[in-house]
Amino acid sequence: MPSNKSVSDAPIFQFTNCRILRNHELQREDLWVREGKILNPEKLFFDEKASADIQLDCKDSIIAPGFIDVQINGGFGVDFSLATDDFKSGIDLVGQKILSHGVTSFCPTLVTSPPSVYHQILPQISVRNGGAHGAGILGVHLEGPFISKEKKGAHPERCLRTFEAGAFQDLLATYRSLDCVRIVTLAPEMKRSSEVIRELTKRGICVSLGHSVANLSQAEEAVQQGATFITHLFNAMLPFHHRDPGIVGLLTSDKIPAGRRVFYGMISDGIHTNPAALRIAHRAHPKGLVLVTDAIAGMGLAPGRHTLGQQVVEIDGLNTYIAGTKTLSGSVATMDTCVRHFLEATGCSIETALEAASLHPAQLLGIEHEKGTLNYDSDADFLMLSDSLCVQATYIAGEEVWRRNAPGM
């Protein structure tokens, strides 16, 4: 078939001998890519009369959208909540390292910190596309400091704040800038939180409920004001109670505005939630489940002492605690590990496990037309995986950015 280059001179890549995750199922078909986007082969054949310039045999791999981690505090010795002179090189290092775990986009997460830390760090983070340099940055997740003292978890109590008369102005003074902020976790039972939720939502910032003692009606009110996410479900919130299920009750609430979906993060590392709790949440509201790592600086490093913002944490196996306590403080799990654990713990389909780390976080952030799927015209951020969901290769904008056992990787 003659190639017609009138549309673009860029090469057309055809990935063959693979199973593609599309429309919620693995389909045996080829994946076509040009200029970083996924192509519709019918348009290519019939409109352009074009064919592939380069064919790649995927050797029966699964091809799935790249993973999106919306809660990651650091890793590989880098702590996103520590202001350092070389902060940019630290975030670059994490972005590079997580490619091998299938993460193609992420939200660097800052835990509760003094205002001076936000003022120093936030200007150093900018939204950017991914590539060979590392995973793309979608914006910052600010977890705190407007959270409950009773459910502070690993957050330093001395840095917690409440909303005073100014409410939203208090938040702006604390963070100084919202330019690169994508998610804010707050406790909805705080006075004046409704006003803050409305203002953040108006600016396109996702509001997440977490580190909270809110009852169900307070959580429902927050959702009615615009909140759409729950930070690490079950962790750092009131336990489910049959007379008032608290934030957990949002999963089956009948007070969610029409056409809206509440999403919830889960740390599927076998430590933060019992497999039975994971199964309960998934069966109650499967389309809202978003896998997050909540990884800390110690991810990828040997057990020992590391930091999480203002706190010292100890890693013991897969457990991470605030030093000298038994308070859990983030995880050292990688995203591909979380996906495999979720699949095993719930007995869900491979498609469901993969979408919890790709499609659902994209839907949460409203970017499902660009990322989180392999639909035509979406970004060609994808993974090659084995049947056991081990990452074989990672692609961003159609270019290979990591491959298992590749020279120099």
Side-chain angles (χ1 to χ4, degrees):
M1 188 184 295
S3 180
N4 175 356
K5 295 295 184 184
S6 61
V7 173
S8 170
D9 288 330
I12 297 166
F13 294 85
Q14 179 187 8
F15 294 81
T16 66
N17 189 18
C18 52
R19 289 157 290 156
I20 303 174
L21 177 56
R22 186 177 280 151
N23 297 327
H24 317 297
E25 61 182 15
L26 288 174
Q27 304 177 10
R28 188 164 284 285
E29 57 184 81
D30 295 350
L31 186 74
W32 298 75
V33 175
R34 178 174 59 197
E35 292 187 313
K37 298 286 185 182
I38 292 169
L39 296 175
N40 180 341
E42 285 195 11
K43 282 188 178 176
L44 194 65
F45 301 152
F46 297 114
D47 296 354
E48 298 184 41
K49 308 283 192 291
S51 59
D53 297 293
I54 300 163
Q55 284 188 325
L56 295 138
D57 183 352
C58 301
K59 299 180 169 59
D60 205 35
S61 295
I62 291 169
I63 292 190
F67 299 149
I68 299 169
D69 194 351
V70 299
Q71 188 175 7
I72 172 172
N73 311 290
F76 314 99
V78 176
D79 183 344
F80 296 149
S81 301
L82 273 189
T84 58
D85 293 336
D86 61 345
F87 184 86
K88 188 177 181 309
S89 64
I91 208 165
D92 288 349
L93 175 73
V94 174
Q96 228 288 315
K97 293 276 195 180
I98 57 180
L99 294 175
S100 65
H101 300 290
V103 178
T104 53
S105 302
F106 69 112
C107 293
T109 304
L110 274 64
V111 295
T112 294
S113 304
S116 59
V117 169
Y118 297 117
H119 299 172
Q120 196 172 341
I121 290 177
L122 288 179
Q124 297 186 67
I125 305 176
S126 51
V127 173
R128 70 175 188 208
N129 293 326
H133 59 273
I137 297 174
L138 299 171
V140 179
H141 179 167
L142 296 173
E143 188 185 1
F146 300 98
I147 57 173
S148 159
K149 187 163 62 172
E150 293 86 349
K151 291 293 178 185
K152 65 183 186 297
H155 293 237
E157 188 171 328
R158 69 185 182 281
C159 297
L160 299 183
R161 300 172 80 85
T162 55
F163 297 121
E164 302 305 326
F168 189 67
Q169 293 308 313
D170 296 333
L171 179 138
L172 283 178
T174 301
Y175 300 143
R176 188 173 283 174
S177 170
L178 294 174
D179 289 349
C180 64
V181 175
R182 202 61 186 262
I183 304 173
V184 172
T185 293
L186 54 77
E189 71 275 14
M190 283 191 167
K191 285 181 180 170
R192 305 181 184 87
S193 66
S194 288
E195 173 191 332
V196 172
I197 293 169
R198 283 196 302 273
E199 288 294 330
L200 287 170
T201 304
K202 204 186 294 180
R203 288 162 172 77
I205 294 170
C206 164
V207 175
S208 188
L209 312 180
H211 288 277
S212 164
V213 292
N215 59 34
L216 178 56
S217 64
Q218 288 168 324
E220 288 171 334
E221 169 66 17
V223 170
Q224 285 153 16
Q225 297 300 330
T228 53
F229 195 38
I230 303 170
T231 297
H232 44 52
L233 186 77
F234 296 124
N235 296 112
M237 60 187 61
L238 290 178
F240 178 88
H241 189 281
H242 56 284
R243 280 194 290 276
D244 191 335
I247 289 177
V248 178
L250 288 175
L251 271 61
T252 56
S253 170
D254 58 0
K255 305 272 193 314
I256 307 300
R260 288 262 302 281
R261 187 189 307 179
V262 172
F263 293 89
Y264 59 97
M266 292 205 79
I267 311 164
S268 171
D269 62 353
I271 304 292
H272 279 77
T273 42
N274 185 284
L278 199 51
R279 287 192 288 273
I280 287 169
H282 175 246
R283 290 173 191 176
H285 185 27
K287 286 185 163 50
L289 195 149
V290 172
L291 292 177
V292 298
T293 61
D294 198 19
I296 63 169
M299 176 179 67
L301 302 181
R305 289 198 160 209
H306 301 280
T307 63
L308 178 59
Q310 311 296 303
Q311 312 266 54
V312 176
V313 300
E314 291 175 329
I315 298 176
D316 177 14
L318 287 176
N319 293 289
T320 65
Y321 302 111
I322 294 178
T325 75
K326 285 297 176 187
T327 300
L328 282 174
S329 55
S331 86
V332 288
T334 57
M335 184 59 88
D336 54 329
T337 303
C338 290
V339 171
R340 290 190 294 270
H341 177 73
F342 174 57
L343 177 70
E344 183 184 353
T346 61
C348 69
S349 68
I350 284 177
E351 292 93 334
T352 297
L354 292 169
E355 286 186 344
S358 54
L359 175 62
H360 295 176
Q363 290 171 328
L364 164 71
L365 297 175
I367 57 172
E368 69 271 25
H369 300 299
E370 295 94 44
K371 299 188 185 294
T373 75
L374 298 178
N375 292 342
Y376 304 140
D377 300 322
S378 62
D379 293 348
D381 297 355
F382 59 89
L383 313 174
M384 284 187 195
L385 302 139
S386 67
D387 286 351
S388 57
L389 300 190
C390 291
V391 181
Q392 306 298 314
T394 303
Y395 286 76
I396 293 180
E399 291 190 25
E400 184 183 291
V401 293
W402 180 85
R403 178 170 288 275
R404 185 170 300 285
N405 300 326
M409 289 289 184

